[in-house]
Amino acid sequence: MSTSNGRSTTASFAARLVVALLTAAACTAIIVNVVFLQPLSSREASNTPDPPAIRHAAARNSVPLVSEIRVTPEDPIARLVAAGDPLVRQIQTELQGLGYYSGIVDGTSDAPTKAAIIAYERASGLSPDGKASRRVLDHILYSKHIAEAARFTASTTAAVPSEDVRKVQTALNGLGFDAGPADGVLGDKTREAIRAFQTYRGLPASGVIDAMLARELGVVLASEG
């Protein structure tokens, strides 16, 4: 009878020991998981690449707004005109109207502009330096005003004969350019003859009697004598 009780006690003790060991193992596993495995899983999850859809959305949202704005480049000619010197631009415009300048009116004092200014200065008896100065512009405007006033006066009153005009008319008629009678009056027929001669000699066809025209015709003007 005592043997049977001893065996029962031993079996009961073994069972309790097994349960205790299992419980301890379970607790140990929980502690290891909490302390070591979960932080490691979080770090691995942070290093895991995002899915393609998420990466694409993030890249699209991170693009600066300014990169989506397209700026149309300004027309280079318009930019030059806007940035040009107003004085140079006005001189170019006036010389273009007189037939001395054929380039772009951009306010830039470039080689064609300087060449046109020199041609005008020589034709007008000025000292040629090619500079786009106020002196040149004032001379152009003054000469333009005088020419307009002369045309207006010629249309209302009788023109006063000029010896210079008579010399030019005589020289033009002698070269075969019909300037009309050598009466010293600068009329339309004489102007047309002057323009024809200037075109023939490669001069600006201004129709005006100036120093360059006189030299080409071989006459001496009273203003030069």
Side-chain angles (χ1 to χ4, degrees), residues 74 76-98 100-110 112-114 116-117 130-134 136-138 140-141 144:
E74 187 181 0
I77 301 301
R79 185 169 60 253
L80 286 174
V81 171
D85 188 333
L87 175 63
V88 178
R89 190 182 305 121
Q90 188 174 2
I91 292 175
Q92 290 172 330
T93 301
E94 296 296 336
L95 291 178
Q96 195 174 66
L98 294 174
Y100 289 94
Y101 181 67
S102 59
I104 300 174
V105 180
D106 56 5
T108 303
S109 184
D110 51 11
T113 302
K114 292 180 180 179
I117 294 174
K131 294 182 179 179
S133 61
R134 173 59 61 178
V136 172
L137 179 60
D138 289 343
I140 294 174
L141 296 178
K144 184 178 179 179

Side-chain angles (χ1 to χ4, degrees), residues 60-219:
R60 185 175 63 252
N61 294 332
S62 64
V63 176
L65 180 60
V66 68
S67 65
E68 299 179 2
I69 302 176
R70 296 183 178 179
V71 180
T72 302
E74 187 181 0
D75 179 35
I77 301 301
R79 185 169 60 253
L80 286 174
V81 171
D85 188 333
L87 175 63
V88 178
R89 190 182 305 121
Q90 188 174 2
I91 292 175
Q92 290 172 330
T93 301
E94 296 296 336
L95 291 178
Q96 195 174 66
L98 294 174
Y100 289 94
Y101 181 67
S102 59
I104 300 174
V105 180
D106 56 5
T108 303
S109 184
D110 51 11
T113 302
K114 292 180 180 179
I117 294 174
I118 290 175
Y120 173 81
E121 289 172 330
R122 288 175 176 172
S124 303
L126 302 176
S127 177
D129 58 12
K131 294 182 179 179
S133 61
R134 173 59 61 178
R135 175 185 70 95
V136 172
L137 179 60
D138 289 343
H139 190 277
I140 294 174
L141 296 178
Y142 176 75
S143 301
K144 184 178 179 179
H145 174 73
I146 294 299
E148 291 175 352
R151 285 196 294 270
F152 177 77
T153 302
S155 63
T156 56
T157 60
V160 178
S162 168
E163 185 62 26
D164 287 344
V165 175
R166 185 177 292 108
K167 292 178 181 179
V168 170
Q169 290 170 330
T170 301
L172 288 172
N173 289 331
L175 293 173
F177 295 89
D178 186 9
D183 55 5
V185 177
L186 186 60
D188 291 339
K189 194 174 185 63
T190 301
R191 291 183 184 277
E192 288 299 324
I194 292 174
R195 292 191 185 96
F197 176 77
Q198 288 171 328
T199 301
Y200 173 73
R201 297 303 294 266
L203 305 176
S206 62
V208 177
I209 297 176
D210 51 29
M212 183 178 293
L213 175 68
R215 286 195 295 270
E216 293 293 330
L217 289 174
V219 300

